[in-house]
Amino acid sequence: MTGHRRLTLASSVVGAVIVAMDGTVLTVAQPTLQRDLGASFAQVQWTSTGYLIAMASLLVFAGRLGDRYGHRRLFAVGMLGFGVTSAGIGVAPGTGWVIGLRVVQGVFGALSQPATLGMLRAAFPPDRLRGPIAVRTAAIGVAAAVGPLVGGALVAGPGWRAVFFLHVIPAVVFGALALVMPGRGRKQAGAEQIVPSPAPLDLQQTVPRPTPLDLPGALLLAVTLAGLVHVLAGLAGLAVTATLPSPGWTTLGEIGLVIGAGVGFVRHERRTRSPLIPPDIVGSTAVGTALGILAAASAALSGTLFVSTYLLQYTIGLDSFHSALRSLPLAVLMVLAAPTCAVLLRRAGARRTSVAAMLVLALGILLLARASGTFALCAGFGLLGAGFGTVMVAATHVVVRHSAVEAAGLAGGLQQTAMNVGPTLGVAAATVLMGPDGGRQLPLTVLAGVALAGAVAAGALPGRSAGALDDRRDDDHGVTGVRSSVPARR
């Protein structure tokens, strides 16, 4: 692996880990933050909700910006902004400042995350993407496992403000490195042609200019996703009272706004000459199916973890530490599943790997629906980690690999959107299905059904023979990224 690829992989991993750990450590710090700043529960909830809304609403557009202006540039701006706003939150004088800066932090997070996948697609040939994506996924699993421990230690020691200073140095360092990272204008053996070589003068006149950015489409999609996340997050927050209020005009108005904006976005995309999401990508069976699987898997996992928290601490009566010990196999198996999936993809293909992974995920959920003893609980969480870690690598590999280099940022934005909307949907569904009595059977059965539906959908993914044929064609042509199942459109 060349030095350029090592630095690209390190930047992708660090960028993904910073954002993944941010959410886990903040969850631990929120109770102390609420006491120190005298904030209400609604205000504390907005420190997470505001961030999620800003992030989810801009991911696709940010990916498009990366395709147009360069993934390294967007990654650098996102990381530097994320680090600066983290430092600002660490010295914020009040709750309003914290909420406002968290929204801004979500904007910078949205700029950086699609680029973490876009840079990998540009730096590695399609047949060598399995390993880097597996490393990135394993690192996210480690961050999810270590985050609560690090957050708890910081809150117990220096205080909740130290949680936000945790991200400053790595974000600034890797953001600065991305600015000075040398571009590669000419193709080397087996490498992507990131910046095309100058064309002859007579050919330059025939090269079409990039189509304009679809700003109206970006606005409509942002309103749709922001409203959807806000509605779902509001339903999830109702778990604190364990009751559902009667729907009022405000909630109905929000739902109407989401539906209206969504319909307007679809109509606009069909009519405009330069859509935000080109029809070549929307119509790709491989990419669309993989995105649906990612959303289903993340919804099933997050909803199950939400229900399991009540199961462990309220039904069984464990404290937070012993609850974390019971769920530790999830993180361990998720980390181990990532590199294993890279091997499975090469030998069995994306279709068989994803179907098996979603079945394992569903089995873990069904086991937790009836588990009470330590062994059964650990086994259920282990199956969750193994299934989710595997399908995350497999489906992400399909999304990135089956998108052209020129649309890698858009593919990354779509993947990140699925991974943000899915958990919010899963937790909201679990909240509604649990009901006032906090029962686990109904929500976990439904969430297992979501995982099984993902297994059925995975049957539409490409098999091993198709992937191997694509790899051979890339190698035979000597240029990777020229042929793709999704033609590039800018």
Coordinates of all heavy atoms in Angstrom, one line a residue, residues 117 121 125-134 136-137 280-281 284-294 341-342 344-346 348-355 389-405 407-408 410-412 414-415 457-464 466-468 470-471 483-486:
L117 N -15.8 8.1 2.6 CA -16.0 7.0 1.7 C -15.6 7.4 0.3 O -15.1 6.6 -0.5 CB -17.5 6.6 1.7 CG -17.9 5.8 2.9 CD1 -19.4 5.6 2.9 CD2 -17.2 4.5 3.0
R121 N -13.0 5.5 -2.3 CA -13.3 5.0 -3.7 C -12.4 5.6 -4.7 O -12.1 4.9 -5.7 CB -14.8 5.5 -4.0 CG -15.2 5.2 -5.4 CD -15.3 3.7 -5.6 NE -15.8 3.3 -6.9 CZ -15.0 3.1 -8.0 NH1 -13.7 3.2 -7.8 NH2 -15.6 2.7 -9.1
P125 N -8.6 0.7 -6.1 CA -9.4 0.1 -7.1 C -10.6 -0.6 -6.6 O -10.6 -1.0 -5.4 CB -8.4 -0.9 -7.7 CG -7.0 -0.4 -7.3 CD -7.3 0.2 -5.9
P126 N -11.6 -0.9 -7.4 CA -12.8 -1.5 -6.9 C -12.6 -2.9 -6.2 O -13.3 -3.2 -5.2 CB -13.7 -1.6 -8.1 CG -13.3 -0.5 -9.0 CD -11.8 -0.4 -8.8
D127 N -11.7 -3.6 -6.8 CA -11.4 -5.0 -6.2 C -10.6 -5.0 -5.0 O -10.3 -6.0 -4.4 CB -10.8 -5.9 -7.3 CG -9.4 -5.3 -7.8 OD1 -9.4 -4.1 -7.9 OD2 -8.5 -6.1 -8.0
R128 N -10.2 -3.8 -4.5 CA -9.4 -3.7 -3.3 C -10.1 -2.8 -2.2 O -9.5 -2.4 -1.3 CB -8.0 -3.1 -3.6 CG -7.2 -3.9 -4.5 CD -5.8 -3.4 -4.7 NE -5.0 -4.1 -5.7 CZ -3.8 -3.8 -6.1 NH1 -3.2 -2.7 -5.6 NH2 -3.2 -4.5 -7.0
L129 N -11.4 -2.6 -2.4 CA -12.1 -1.8 -1.5 C -12.6 -2.5 -0.2 O -12.9 -1.9 0.8 CB -13.3 -1.2 -2.1 CG -13.1 0.1 -3.0 CD1 -14.4 0.4 -3.8 CD2 -12.7 1.3 -2.1
R130 N -12.7 -3.9 -0.3 CA -13.2 -4.7 0.8 C -12.4 -4.4 2.1 O -12.9 -4.2 3.2 CB -13.2 -6.1 0.5 CG -13.9 -6.5 -0.8 CD -13.8 -8.0 -1.1 NE -14.3 -8.4 -2.4 CZ -13.5 -8.6 -3.4 NH1 -12.2 -8.3 -3.3 NH2 -14.0 -8.9 -4.6
G131 N -11.1 -4.5 2.0 CA -10.2 -4.3 3.1 C -10.3 -3.0 3.8 O -10.6 -2.9 5.0
P132 N -10.2 -1.9 3.0 CA -10.3 -0.5 3.7 C -11.7 -0.3 4.3 O -11.8 0.3 5.4 CB -10.1 0.4 2.5 CG -9.2 -0.4 1.5 CD -9.7 -1.8 1.7
I133 N -12.8 -0.8 3.7 CA -14.1 -0.6 4.2 C -14.2 -1.4 5.5 O -14.8 -1.0 6.5 CB -15.2 -1.0 3.2 CG1 -15.2 0.1 2.1 CG2 -16.5 -1.0 3.9 CD1 -16.2 -0.2 1.0
A134 N -13.6 -2.6 5.5 CA -13.6 -3.5 6.7 C -12.9 -2.8 7.9 O -13.3 -2.8 9.0 CB -13.1 -4.8 6.4
R136 N -12.4 0.4 8.3 CA -13.2 1.5 8.7 C -14.4 1.1 9.6 O -14.7 1.7 10.6 CB -13.7 2.3 7.5 CG -14.6 3.5 7.7 CD -15.0 4.1 6.4 NE -15.8 5.3 6.6 CZ -17.1 5.3 6.8 NH1 -17.8 4.1 6.8 NH2 -17.8 6.4 7.0
T137 N -15.0 0.0 9.2 CA -16.2 -0.5 10.0 C -15.7 -1.0 11.4 O -16.4 -0.8 12.4 CB -16.9 -1.6 9.2 OG1 -17.3 -1.1 8.0 CG2 -18.1 -2.1 10.0
D280 N -29.5 7.4 -12.9 CA -28.7 6.3 -13.0 C -28.4 5.6 -11.6 O -28.3 4.4 -11.5 CB -27.4 6.6 -13.6 CG -27.5 7.1 -15.1 OD1 -28.4 6.6 -15.7 OD2 -26.8 8.0 -15.5
I281 N -28.3 6.4 -10.6 CA -28.1 5.9 -9.3 C -29.4 5.5 -8.6 O -29.4 4.4 -8.0 CB -27.4 7.0 -8.4 CG1 -25.9 7.2 -8.9 CG2 -27.4 6.6 -6.9 CD1 -25.2 8.2 -8.0
S284 N -30.4 2.1 -10.0 CA -29.4 1.0 -9.8 C -30.0 0.0 -8.8 O -30.1 0.4 -7.6 CB -28.1 1.5 -9.4 OG -27.2 0.4 -9.0
T285 N -30.2 -1.2 -9.2 CA -30.7 -2.2 -8.3 C -29.8 -2.5 -7.1 O -30.1 -2.6 -6.0 CB -31.1 -3.5 -9.0 OG1 -32.0 -3.3 -10.0 CG2 -31.6 -4.6 -8.1
A286 N -28.5 -2.6 -7.5 CA -27.5 -2.9 -6.5 C -27.4 -1.8 -5.4 O -27.4 -2.1 -4.2 CB -26.1 -3.1 -7.1
V287 N -27.3 -0.6 -5.8 CA -27.1 0.5 -4.9 C -28.4 0.8 -4.1 O -28.3 0.9 -2.9 CB -26.7 1.8 -5.7 CG1 -26.7 3.0 -4.7 CG2 -25.4 1.7 -6.3
G288 N -29.5 0.8 -4.7 CA -30.8 1.0 -4.0 C -31.1 -0.1 -3.0 O -31.5 0.2 -1.9
T289 N -30.8 -1.3 -3.4 CA -31.0 -2.4 -2.4 C -30.1 -2.4 -1.3 O -30.5 -2.6 -0.1 CB -30.9 -3.8 -3.2 OG1 -31.8 -3.9 -4.2 CG2 -31.1 -4.9 -2.2
A290 N -28.8 -2.1 -1.5 CA -27.8 -2.0 -0.4 C -28.2 -0.9 0.5 O -28.1 -1.0 1.8 CB -26.4 -1.7 -1.0
L291 N -28.7 0.3 0.0 CA -29.1 1.4 0.9 C -30.3 1.0 1.8 O -30.3 1.3 3.0 CB -29.4 2.6 0.1 CG -28.3 3.3 -0.6 CD1 -28.8 4.4 -1.6 CD2 -27.3 3.9 0.4
G292 N -31.2 0.3 1.2 CA -32.4 -0.2 2.0 C -32.0 -1.2 3.0 O -32.5 -1.2 4.2
I293 N -31.0 -2.1 2.7 CA -30.5 -3.0 3.7 C -29.8 -2.3 4.9 O -30.0 -2.7 6.0 CB -29.6 -4.0 3.0 CG1 -30.4 -4.9 2.1 CG2 -28.9 -4.9 4.0 CD1 -29.5 -5.8 1.2
L294 N -29.0 -1.3 4.5 CA -28.3 -0.6 5.6 C -29.3 0.1 6.5 O -29.2 0.1 7.7 CB -27.4 0.5 5.0 CG -26.1 0.0 4.4 CD1 -25.4 1.1 3.6 CD2 -25.2 -0.6 5.5
C341 N -15.8 -10.3 7.1 CA -16.7 -10.0 5.9 C -15.9 -9.8 4.7 O -16.3 -10.1 3.6 CB -17.6 -8.8 6.3 SG -18.7 -8.4 5.0
A342 N -14.7 -9.2 4.8 CA -13.9 -8.9 3.6 C -13.6 -10.3 2.9 O -13.5 -10.4 1.7 CB -12.6 -8.2 4.0
L344 N -15.4 -13.1 3.3 CA -16.6 -13.7 2.8 C -17.1 -13.0 1.5 O -17.6 -13.7 0.6 CB -17.7 -13.5 3.8 CG -17.6 -14.3 5.1 CD1 -18.7 -13.9 6.1 CD2 -17.6 -15.8 4.8
L345 N -16.9 -11.7 1.3 CA -17.2 -11.1 0.1 C -16.5 -11.6 -1.1 O -17.0 -11.8 -2.2 CB -17.0 -9.6 0.2 CG -18.0 -8.8 1.0 CD1 -17.5 -7.3 1.2 CD2 -19.4 -8.8 0.4
R346 N -15.2 -11.9 -0.9 CA -14.4 -12.4 -1.9 C -14.7 -13.8 -2.3 O -14.7 -14.2 -3.5 CB -12.9 -12.3 -1.5 CG -11.9 -12.7 -2.6 CD -10.5 -12.4 -2.3 NE -10.0 -13.2 -1.1 CZ -9.8 -12.6 0.1 NH1 -10.0 -11.3 0.3 NH2 -9.4 -13.3 1.1
A348 N -17.8 -15.6 -1.2 CA -19.2 -15.9 -1.4 C -20.0 -14.9 -2.1 O -21.1 -15.1 -2.6 CB -19.9 -16.2 0.0
G349 N -19.5 -13.6 -2.2 CA -20.2 -12.6 -2.8 C -21.1 -11.8 -1.9 O -21.4 -12.2 -0.8
A350 N -21.5 -10.6 -2.4 CA -22.3 -9.7 -1.5 C -23.7 -10.3 -1.2 O -24.2 -10.1 -0.1 CB -22.5 -8.4 -2.2
R351 N -24.3 -11.0 -2.2 CA -25.6 -11.5 -2.0 C -25.7 -12.5 -0.8 O -26.5 -12.4 0.1 CB -26.2 -12.2 -3.2 CG -27.6 -12.7 -3.1 CD -27.9 -13.5 -4.4 NE -27.7 -12.7 -5.6 CZ -27.4 -13.3 -6.7 NH1 -27.2 -14.6 -6.8 NH2 -27.2 -12.5 -7.8
R352 N -24.9 -13.6 -0.9 CA -25.0 -14.6 0.1 C -24.5 -14.1 1.5 O -25.1 -14.4 2.5 CB -24.1 -15.8 -0.3 CG -24.6 -16.6 -1.5 CD -23.7 -17.7 -1.9 NE -24.2 -18.4 -3.0 CZ -23.5 -19.4 -3.6 NH1 -22.3 -19.8 -3.1 NH2 -24.0 -20.1 -4.6
T353 N -23.5 -13.2 1.4 CA -23.0 -12.7 2.7 C -24.0 -11.8 3.4 O -24.2 -12.0 4.6 CB -21.7 -11.9 2.4 OG1 -20.7 -12.7 1.8 CG2 -21.2 -11.3 3.7
S354 N -24.7 -11.0 2.6 CA -25.7 -10.1 3.2 C -26.9 -10.8 3.7 O -27.5 -10.5 4.8 CB -26.1 -9.0 2.2 OG -25.0 -8.2 1.9
V355 N -27.4 -11.8 2.9 CA -28.5 -12.6 3.4 C -28.2 -13.3 4.7 O -29.0 -13.3 5.6 CB -28.9 -13.7 2.3 CG1 -29.9 -14.7 2.8 CG2 -29.5 -13.0 1.1
G389 N -22.2 -6.1 12.0 CA -20.8 -5.8 11.5 C -20.6 -6.3 10.1 O -20.0 -5.7 9.2
T390 N -21.1 -7.5 9.8 CA -21.0 -8.1 8.5 C -21.8 -7.4 7.4 O -21.2 -7.1 6.3 CB -21.4 -9.6 8.5 OG1 -20.6 -10.3 9.5 CG2 -21.2 -10.3 7.2
V391 N -23.0 -7.1 7.7 CA -23.9 -6.5 6.7 C -23.5 -5.1 6.4 O -23.6 -4.5 5.3 CB -25.4 -6.6 7.0 CG1 -25.7 -5.6 8.1 CG2 -26.2 -6.4 5.8
M392 N -22.9 -4.4 7.4 CA -22.5 -3.0 7.2 C -21.3 -3.0 6.2 O -21.3 -2.1 5.4 CB -22.1 -2.4 8.6 CG -21.7 -0.9 8.5 SD -21.4 -0.3 10.1 CE -20.9 1.4 9.7
V393 N -20.4 -3.9 6.4 CA -19.3 -3.9 5.4 C -19.8 -4.3 4.0 O -19.4 -3.7 3.0 CB -18.2 -4.9 5.9 CG1 -17.1 -5.0 4.9 CG2 -17.6 -4.4 7.2
A394 N -20.6 -5.4 4.0 CA -21.0 -5.9 2.7 C -21.9 -4.9 1.9 O -21.6 -4.6 0.7 CB -21.8 -7.2 2.9
A395 N -22.9 -4.3 2.6 CA -23.7 -3.3 1.9 C -23.0 -2.0 1.5 O -23.2 -1.5 0.4 CB -25.0 -3.0 2.7
T396 N -22.1 -1.6 2.4 CA -21.4 -0.4 2.1 C -20.4 -0.6 0.9 O -20.2 0.2 0.1 CB -20.5 0.1 3.4 OG1 -21.4 0.4 4.4 CG2 -19.7 1.3 3.0
H397 N -19.8 -1.8 0.9 CA -19.0 -2.2 -0.2 C -19.7 -2.1 -1.5 O -19.2 -1.6 -2.6 CB -18.4 -3.6 0.0 CG -17.5 -4.0 -1.1 ND1 -18.0 -4.9 -2.1 CD2 -16.3 -3.8 -1.5 CE1 -17.1 -5.2 -3.0 NE2 -16.0 -4.5 -2.6
V398 N -21.0 -2.6 -1.6 CA -21.8 -2.6 -2.8 C -22.1 -1.1 -3.2 O -22.0 -0.8 -4.4 CB -23.1 -3.4 -2.6 CG1 -24.0 -3.2 -3.7 CG2 -22.8 -4.8 -2.4
V399 N -22.5 -0.3 -2.2 CA -22.8 1.1 -2.5 C -21.6 1.8 -3.1 O -21.7 2.5 -4.2 CB -23.3 1.8 -1.3 CG1 -23.4 3.3 -1.6 CG2 -24.6 1.3 -0.8
V400 N -20.4 1.7 -2.5 CA -19.2 2.4 -3.0 C -18.7 1.8 -4.2 O -18.3 2.5 -5.2 CB -18.2 2.4 -1.8 CG1 -16.9 3.1 -2.3 CG2 -18.7 3.1 -0.6
R401 N -18.6 0.5 -4.3 CA -18.0 -0.2 -5.5 C -18.8 0.0 -6.7 O -18.3 0.1 -7.8 CB -17.8 -1.7 -5.2 CG -17.0 -2.4 -6.2 CD -17.2 -3.9 -6.2 NE -16.3 -4.6 -7.1 CZ -16.5 -4.5 -8.4 NH1 -17.5 -3.9 -8.9 NH2 -15.6 -5.2 -9.2
H402 N -20.2 0.0 -6.6 CA -21.0 0.1 -7.8 C -21.4 1.5 -8.1 O -22.4 1.7 -8.8 CB -22.3 -0.8 -7.6 CG -22.0 -2.2 -7.7 ND1 -22.3 -2.9 -8.8 CD2 -21.4 -3.1 -6.8 CE1 -21.9 -4.2 -8.7 NE2 -21.4 -4.3 -7.5
S403 N -20.7 2.5 -7.6 CA -20.8 3.9 -8.0 C -19.5 4.3 -8.7 O -18.4 3.9 -8.3 CB -21.1 4.7 -6.7 OG -22.3 4.4 -6.1
A404 N -19.7 5.1 -9.7 CA -18.5 5.6 -10.4 C -17.7 6.5 -9.5 O -18.2 7.1 -8.5 CB -19.0 6.4 -11.7
V405 N -16.4 6.7 -9.8 CA -15.6 7.5 -9.0 C -16.1 9.0 -9.0 O -16.1 9.6 -7.9 CB -14.1 7.6 -9.6 CG1 -13.2 8.5 -8.9 CG2 -13.5 6.2 -9.6
A407 N -19.1 9.9 -8.8 CA -20.3 10.0 -8.0 C -20.0 9.3 -6.6 O -20.9 9.0 -5.9 CB -21.5 9.3 -8.6
A408 N -18.7 9.2 -6.2 CA -18.4 8.5 -5.0 C -18.9 9.3 -3.8 O -19.3 8.7 -2.8 CB -16.9 8.3 -4.9
L410 N -21.5 11.3 -3.6 CA -23.0 11.2 -3.6 C -23.3 9.8 -3.0 O -24.2 9.7 -2.1 CB -23.6 11.3 -4.9 CG -25.1 11.1 -5.1 CD1 -25.8 12.1 -4.2 CD2 -25.5 11.2 -6.5
A411 N -22.6 8.8 -3.4 CA -22.8 7.4 -2.8 C -22.5 7.4 -1.3 O -23.3 6.8 -0.6 CB -21.9 6.4 -3.5
G412 N -21.5 8.1 -0.9 CA -21.2 8.2 0.5 C -22.2 8.9 1.3 O -22.6 8.6 2.4
L414 N -25.4 9.1 0.5 CA -26.6 8.3 0.6 C -26.4 7.2 1.6 O -27.3 6.9 2.4 CB -26.9 7.7 -0.8 CG -27.4 8.6 -1.9 CD1 -27.4 7.9 -3.2 CD2 -28.8 9.2 -1.6
Q415 N -25.2 6.6 1.7 CA -24.9 5.6 2.7 C -25.0 6.2 4.1 O -25.6 5.6 5.0 CB -23.5 5.0 2.4 CG -23.2 3.8 3.3 CD -22.5 4.1 4.6 OE1 -22.2 5.3 4.8 NE2 -22.2 3.1 5.4
A457 N -34.6 -8.8 0.8 CA -34.1 -7.8 -0.1 C -32.7 -8.1 -0.6 O -32.3 -7.8 -1.7 CB -34.2 -6.4 0.5
A458 N -31.9 -8.6 0.3 CA -30.5 -8.9 -0.1 C -30.3 -9.9 -1.2 O -29.3 -10.0 -1.8 CB -29.7 -9.4 1.2
G459 N -31.4 -10.6 -1.5 CA -31.4 -11.5 -2.6 C -31.2 -10.8 -4.0 O -30.8 -11.5 -5.0
A460 N -31.4 -9.5 -4.0 CA -31.3 -8.8 -5.2 C -29.9 -8.2 -5.4 O -29.6 -7.6 -6.4 CB -32.3 -7.6 -5.3
L461 N -29.0 -8.4 -4.4 CA -27.6 -7.9 -4.5 C -26.8 -8.8 -5.5 O -27.2 -9.9 -5.8 CB -26.9 -7.9 -3.2 CG -27.5 -7.0 -2.1 CD1 -26.7 -7.1 -0.8 CD2 -27.3 -5.5 -2.6
P462 N -25.8 -8.2 -6.1 CA -24.9 -9.0 -7.0 C -24.3 -10.2 -6.3 O -23.9 -10.1 -5.2 CB -23.9 -8.0 -7.5 CG -23.9 -6.9 -6.5 CD -25.3 -6.8 -5.9
G463 N -24.1 -11.2 -7.0 CA -23.4 -12.4 -6.5 C -21.9 -12.4 -6.7 O -21.4 -11.4 -7.3
R464 N -21.3 -13.5 -6.3 CA -19.8 -13.5 -6.4 C -19.4 -13.5 -7.9 O -18.4 -12.8 -8.2 CB -19.3 -14.8 -5.8 CG -17.8 -14.9 -5.7 CD -17.3 -16.1 -5.0 NE -17.7 -17.3 -5.8 CZ -17.0 -17.8 -6.8 NH1 -15.8 -17.3 -7.1 NH2 -17.4 -18.9 -7.4
A466 N -20.7 -12.1 -10.5 CA -20.8 -10.8 -11.1 C -19.6 -9.9 -10.6 O -19.0 -9.1 -11.4 CB -22.1 -10.1 -10.8
G467 N -19.4 -9.9 -9.3 CA -18.3 -9.1 -8.7 C -17.0 -9.5 -9.3 O -16.1 -8.7 -9.6
A468 N -16.7 -10.8 -9.4 CA -15.5 -11.3 -10.0 C -15.3 -10.8 -11.4 O -14.2 -10.4 -11.9 CB -15.4 -12.8 -9.9
D470 N -16.6 -8.1 -12.8 CA -16.3 -6.7 -12.8 C -14.8 -6.5 -12.5 O -14.2 -5.6 -13.1 CB -17.1 -6.0 -11.7 CG -18.6 -5.9 -12.1 OD1 -18.9 -6.2 -13.3 OD2 -19.4 -5.6 -11.3
D471 N -14.3 -7.2 -11.5 CA -12.9 -7.1 -11.2 C -12.0 -7.4 -12.3 O -11.0 -6.7 -12.6 CB -12.5 -7.9 -9.9 CG -13.2 -7.5 -8.7 OD1 -13.7 -6.3 -8.7 OD2 -13.3 -8.2 -7.7
R483 N -15.0 1.6 -15.8 CA -16.3 0.9 -15.9 C -17.0 0.8 -14.6 O -16.4 0.4 -13.6 CB -16.1 -0.5 -16.5 CG -17.4 -1.2 -16.7 CD -17.2 -2.7 -16.6 NE -18.5 -3.3 -16.4 CZ -19.0 -3.5 -15.2 NH1 -18.4 -3.0 -14.1 NH2 -20.2 -4.0 -15.1
S484 N -18.3 1.1 -14.5 CA -19.0 1.0 -13.3 C -20.5 0.7 -13.7 O -20.9 1.0 -14.7 CB -18.9 2.3 -12.5 OG -19.7 2.2 -11.3
S485 N -21.1 0.0 -12.7 CA -22.5 -0.3 -13.0 C -23.4 0.9 -12.9 O -24.5 0.9 -13.3 CB -23.0 -1.3 -12.0 OG -22.9 -0.8 -10.7
V486 N -22.9 2.0 -12.4 CA -23.6 3.3 -12.3 C -22.9 4.4 -13.1 O -21.8 4.8 -12.6 CB -23.8 3.8 -10.9 CG1 -24.6 5.1 -10.8 CG2 -24.5 2.7 -10.1

